Amino acid sequence: MAYMTRDGYDKKMAELKHMEEVERPAASAAIAEAREKGDLSENSEYDAAKEAQGMLEMRIAVLKDQLSKAKIIDPTKLDTSCVQILSTVEMKNLTNGMQMRYTIVSETEADLRQGKISSATPIAQGLLGHKVGDKVSVTTPMGTLQLEILKITFE
């Protein structure tokens, strides 16, 4: 089961719709065009188009599987007293004083550029269940971080 926000679910649905309605017909058209060019045994354009179609169908299948297992979470019903999935956590690195802000999401919605980290990451795992003011020690591949939770919200 993958926990998702309504927004994340809607984005995945839009992506699936685009793949099925735009990319799939384009892939079929590319195969048909390559097929018209003659001998298929020596037609690298045909092979490339078939391979691209196979990759697209695989991406569609993976996305359908993710969506079928999705559980949409309503952030208004979540408790802000402790860190949990969909929490936006403001924290301070006690070693260097740097402040960070991450939203803990499912693996399928993680995007570090948007400040969304997977609930499976070491930082998220270390924060889950803790409250504002708690100091946590998180072991990451880069070493151990000492973090203090400053604020927990849901957006």
Side-chain angles (χ1 to χ4, degrees), residues 122 139-144:
T139 303
T140 69
M142 301 294 283
T144 301

Side-chain angles (χ1 to χ4, degrees), residues 5-142:
T5 60
R6 169 56 63 187
D7 184 48
Y9 182 83
D10 290 345
K11 284 180 183 176
K12 295 278 186 194
M13 285 298 291
E15 181 182 356
L16 177 61
K17 182 177 180 181
H18 182 265
M19 281 193 262
E20 290 181 329
E21 294 178 3
V22 176
E23 293 181 39
R24 184 181 272 162
S28 294
I31 290 170
E33 182 180 319
R35 186 178 289 136
E36 291 173 1
K37 293 186 177 175
D39 185 7
L40 298 182
S41 64
E42 296 178 12
N43 189 336
S44 62
E45 188 176 333
Y46 176 79
D47 292 338
K50 287 292 283 182
E51 185 175 332
Q53 182 188 41
M55 296 295 287
L56 174 64
E57 292 302 326
M58 183 181 69
R59 286 184 10 232
I60 288 172
V62 166
L63 199 50
K64 281 183 173 182
D65 183 57
Q66 287 175 352
L67 290 168
S68 72
K69 295 176 182 175
K71 178 171 174 47
I72 298 171
I73 298 175
D74 181 358
T76 62
K77 295 183 176 153
L78 297 175
D79 177 16
T80 60
S81 68
C82 69
V83 178
Q84 53 193 304
I85 193 153
L86 298 187
S87 294
T88 297
V89 184
E90 292 182 31
M91 67 205 96
K92 180 178 182 179
N93 183 327
L94 297 174
T95 306
N96 63 16
M98 187 173 106
Q99 289 194 10
M100 302 173 279
R101 181 173 185 250
Y102 293 120
T103 301
I104 300 172
V105 297
S106 69
E107 290 183 41
T108 60
E109 289 186 86
D111 184 349
L112 194 54
R113 284 174 276 166
Q114 292 182 3
K116 296 178 177 182
I117 61 172
S118 165
S119 59
T121 63
I123 291 175
Q125 288 292 306
L127 294 171
L128 290 171
H130 288 279
K131 300 177 184 296
V132 171
D134 285 357
K135 293 179 175 133
V136 297
S137 181
V138 177
T139 303
T140 69
M142 301 294 283

